[in-house]
Amino acid sequence: MEIHRFEKLWLVAALLLIVAFIGTIVYGALGAGVAMVDDSGGTVDPDDPTASDNFREPGVYTTDDGDVEVYVIARQYLFSPGSTEPIQVPANTEVTFYVTSGDVTHGFNLAGTNVNTMVIPGQVAEITVEFDETGDHHIVCHEYCGVGHHDMRGTVDVVPQSQFEVSDE
Amino acid sequence: MRDRAGELSRRRVLQTAAGTAAAATAGAFATGTAAAQDEGDGGEGVPAEYDGWFTGDARGGEVQNYDGTTVDRTGESEVTVTVGADGNGGTFAFEPPALRVSPGTTVTFEWVSDTHNVVVESQPDGAGWEGHDPIEDSGFTFSSTFETEGVYTYLCEPHLSLGMKGAIVVGAAPAGSGGGGSGGEGVPAEYGNWFTGDARGGEVQNYDGTTADQTGQSEVTVTVGADGNGGTFAFEPPALRVSPGTTVTFEWVSDTHNVLVESQPDGAGWEGHEPIEDTGFSFSHTFETEGTYTYLCEPHLSLGMKGAIVVGAAPAGGDGEPAGPTGDGGSPPFWVTGLAGGILVALLAPIVVSYYRYWDRDGRSTGGAAGRGAGIPADEPVPEAAEPEAVEEIGHDEYDPMGTAALIVVYALILLVLWVFMYFVEFLGNGPTVIG
C-alpha cells in the first residue's frame, strides 16, 4: 500500500494529539490534584441517614487536625443546611462535604466551579475542597428532583479563618 | 381566547341555563346561609382578609388549592389541618388552606407526607404561636390552641415556592359578610367575545379562561402594563372578580398606558383613566354596582391589552368558567401552517426534481428529437464525444494536495485552541476544585 507523505504527516499529528489529551488527564490528576468523586463516603440508611456511623447530624464540624467537615442532607426542595441558613466555612482550609439525600436523587453543585456531584439516596458523596477566596458560592441542585427543582438552592459562605465560628461541635 | 363562534354560543347557552338553575338553588338556600352566619356572632367579628397571602404576590408561590373560600369550623373545640395533602402540584398543600375557628380551639397539624414544617408568617398582636420549625415526616403531629382573635398566616418552608401556605382566622365572621358566594343570585363571569380577537383590538393572550376570584377583599390591585401579549402589554389579572364595594387600584408597571372603559353595567359611573401615564402612576376606583365592566388600554388595544372586572359574587355552583378544556383549540396560527408547508415542500423537492430528471432523460433516450444532436437522423446512433487528451501525466507522489493539507492544519489548530481553553482555562481555572 502506498501512503502519500502528506497522509503520513497528519496520521502522526492525530496520534500525537491523542497522546496529548491523555497526558492532560494524567497531569490533572497527578499535577493539579483534581480528584474524582468516588464511593469512599460509604452508604447510609436513606430513610434515616444520621442513624449510620458514617453520617452525622447535618451541620458544620471541625476535626482534630483543624479541617472542616460539612454534613448536608438534600431533600425536596432544600439543602439542610444550606438553604434556610448558609453553610459557613473558612477559607484556606480543607473542607469536606458529606452529602446524601433523604428522598430522591438530587445534585450538589457550587455554581461555576468544579465542585459537582450527584446526591443519591443511601449513598454519601464525599468531596474535599479548599477555598482560596472568601465570598458566597451558590449551591444548585442540578438533577431534576420534582416540581420544586428550579427553586432548590443554597449558599456556601466562605469567611476568613479568623471569623469562622463552629456552629456545631 | 380559542373560542370559535359556534362553541361560544353553545357555552353561553349552557352558562345561562346553569346560571338560572343555580340562582334558583341559591335562592332556596339563601335564608339558611344567612341565618347560619348570623348565629353566634353578636360582636364585630373578624373578616377573612388575607391581604394577598394566597396569591403569588406574597412570599412564595400561588396557593392553588385555595379556591377563595374559608372553611368555617367555628364552634368546634378540636380541628385538624392536614400537612402535605395533595395539591399545588404534588403533596404540597395545607388542607384546608384557609380555616376559621373559634377562640380557644385546639388545631392539630397532621403530617401525611414527608419534609414539611409550619413556619408562622404573621399573627395578631399578642398572639404567641410558634408553629413548628423542624422539618418532619409523615406521621408527625403537633397541636396549638388559638386564643387571640385575628388572622394567622403560616407556610411550609421547603415548599414555599410551590404555594404551600395556609391561614387560620380565629373569631366569628362579621355579620353580613359572606365568605364567598353570599346569598343572592350572583353575577356570572360572561365576557362575550371581549377577550378574543373578534372584539375591538387583538386577542388577549394573557387571558387563560379563568377569572381571578378576589371577592371578600376590600382592596384589590390590577397591574397595568404587566408582561404579556408580546411585551409589557397586559392587565394582570385580565379578568377579575371582586365584591361590591371593593376598591380596585390600577398600578402602572410600564410606560404609556391608559384605562378606557369599554362597557359597564347600567347605573355604574366608572370613568377609567384616559390620560396616558407611565410607570409608578396609580389610581383607584370603588366598584359598587354589580355587573361586568370591560376596559382597555388604547395605545396597545391592537396587541390585546384588554381587561374585565366582574363585580358581585359568583353564581352558586360555578363561576360560569369554561368547564374543562375548550375542545381542540381551532386551527393553528398562520405561521405554523406556513412553516409546516415549507418543510413539507423542502422534503418533497428532491423526489419531485429527480422524478422530473428521470422522466426527462427517459424522454431523451427513447428518441425524442430534442435530446439528439442536430442533423443526426433518428435511426442512427449518436456518436460519443472523443475523450480529451491528457495534457501532462504525473505520478502519485508528485501531486501535492496543498489545499487539503491547509484545511487539516486549520482544523488541527481549532482543536488545539478548544482543548487548551476547555481544560486549562475552563476546567482547571475554575477553582475551587475537588481535591479529595
Side-chain angles (χ1 to χ4, degrees), chain A residues 89-113:
Chain A
V89 296
N92 301 311
T93 307
E94 281 199 5
V95 179
T96 305
F97 290 93
Y98 296 88
V99 193
T100 192
S101 164
D103 37 42
V104 300
T105 301
H106 294 279
F108 182 91
N109 174 225
L110 297 192
T113 76

Side-chain angles (χ1 to χ4, degrees), chain B residues 263-270 288-293:
Chain B
S263 73
Q264 53 185 319
D266 290 340
W270 185 32
E288 300 284 359
T289 311
E290 291 204 356
T292 302
Y293 299 67

Side-chain angles (χ1 to χ4, degrees), chain B residues 35-110:
Chain B
Q37 275 160 3
D38 289 341
E39 187 178 51
D41 175 37
E44 65 275 28
V46 183
E49 282 175 9
Y50 306 116
D51 288 335
W53 174 237
F54 288 113
T55 68
D57 298 337
R59 277 178 68 193
E62 184 190 339
V63 185
Q64 290 164 30
N65 67 320
Y66 172 69
D67 60 359
T69 56
T70 301
V71 174
D72 194 340
R73 304 288 295 268
T74 48
E76 297 178 33
S77 61
E78 291 192 5
V79 174
T80 302
V81 172
T82 308
V83 179
D86 284 341
N88 297 320
T91 54
F92 311 123
F94 292 107
E95 190 56 45
L99 172 69
R100 179 186 290 282
V101 297
S102 303
T105 304
T106 300
V107 179
T108 303
F109 290 83
E110 264 187 23

Side-chain angles (χ1 to χ4, degrees), chain A residues 8-9 15 35 44 48 50 52-53 85-86 92 108 112 118 121 125 129 133 161:
Chain A
K8 284 177 188 155
L9 266 180
L15 285 174
V44 291
D48 191 6
T50 52
S52 308
D53 291 337
E85 80 263 42
N92 301 311
F108 182 91
M118 231 167 143
V129 182
E133 295 167 15
Q161 276 176 337

Side-chain angles (χ1 to χ4, degrees), chain B residues 29 38 46 57 75 79 107 114 120 124 129 152 205 211 243 252 273 291-292 305-306 333 352-353 361 374 399 430:
Chain B
F29 282 116
D38 289 341
V46 183
D57 298 337
V79 174
V107 179
D114 292 349
V120 182
W129 186 36
Y152 299 68
Q205 288 163 32
T211 301
S243 302
W252 269 240
H273 188 83
T292 302
M305 189 162 172
K306 302 188 283 193
V352 172
V353 168
R361 190 201 62 185
Y399 173 61
N430 245 346

Side-chain angles (χ1 to χ4, degrees), chain B residues 142-409:
Chain B
F142 80 96
S143 300
S144 306
T145 304
F146 292 86
E147 300 285 357
T148 311
E149 290 204 358
V151 178
Y152 299 68
T153 58
Y154 58 93
L155 56 92
C156 166
E157 205 165 17
H159 308 118
L160 174 60
S161 65
L162 302 170
M164 189 163 173
K165 304 188 281 192
I168 295 176
V169 185
V170 178
S177 87
S182 68
E185 67 275 24
V187 182
E190 283 181 319
Y191 308 113
N193 60 3
W194 177 238
F195 287 116
T196 70
D198 298 337
R200 278 179 68 191
E203 179 191 338
V204 184
Q205 288 163 32
N206 68 321
Y207 172 69
D208 60 359
T210 58
T211 301
D213 192 341
Q214 307 242 26
T215 49
Q217 304 191 17
S218 60
E219 291 192 4
V220 174
T221 302
V222 172
T223 307
V224 180
D227 284 341
N229 298 319
T232 54
F233 310 124
F235 292 106
E236 188 57 44
L240 171 70
R241 177 186 291 282
V242 298
S243 302
T246 303
T247 301
V248 178
T249 304
F250 291 82
E251 267 186 19
W252 269 240
V253 297
S254 60
D255 292 350
T256 330
H257 305 291
N258 66 356
V259 173
L260 281 190
V261 181
E262 171 79 3
S263 73
Q264 53 185 319
D266 290 340
W270 185 32
E271 289 176 355
H273 188 83
E274 200 175 338
I276 287 168
E277 304 287 355
D278 290 342
T279 306
F281 179 81
S282 69
F283 79 97
S284 300
H285 179 75
T286 304
F287 290 87
E288 300 284 359
T289 311
E290 291 204 356
T292 302
Y293 299 67
T294 58
Y295 58 93
L296 56 91
C297 167
E298 202 168 19
H300 307 121
L301 174 61
S302 61
L303 301 170
M305 189 162 172
K306 302 188 283 193
I309 295 177
V310 183
V311 178
D319 197 5
E321 301 283 354
T326 55
D328 60 358
S331 56
F334 175 73
W335 69 269
V336 174
T337 321
L339 190 67
I343 291 171
L344 200 68
V345 166
L347 284 175
L348 287 178
I351 299 170
V352 172
V353 168
S354 56
Y355 176 78
Y356 171 75
R357 285 171 63 102
Y358 181 80
W359 171 83
D360 195 43
R361 190 201 62 185
D362 222 34
R364 258 182 311 191
S365 61
T366 51
R372 307 197 125 233
I376 299 171
D379 51 349
E380 276 182 30
V382 179
E384 286 184 14
E387 277 207 10
E389 293 274 322
V391 179
E392 184 191 356
E393 283 197 16
I394 53 170
H396 183 272
D397 277 344
E398 287 164 54
Y399 173 61
D400 290 341
M402 294 306 288
T404 313
L407 263 183
I408 287 175
V409 167

Side-chain angles (χ1 to χ4, degrees), chain B residues 114-128:
Chain B
D114 292 349
T115 327
H116 305 290
N117 64 358
V118 173
V119 176
V120 182
E121 172 78 3
S122 71
Q123 52 186 320
D125 291 340

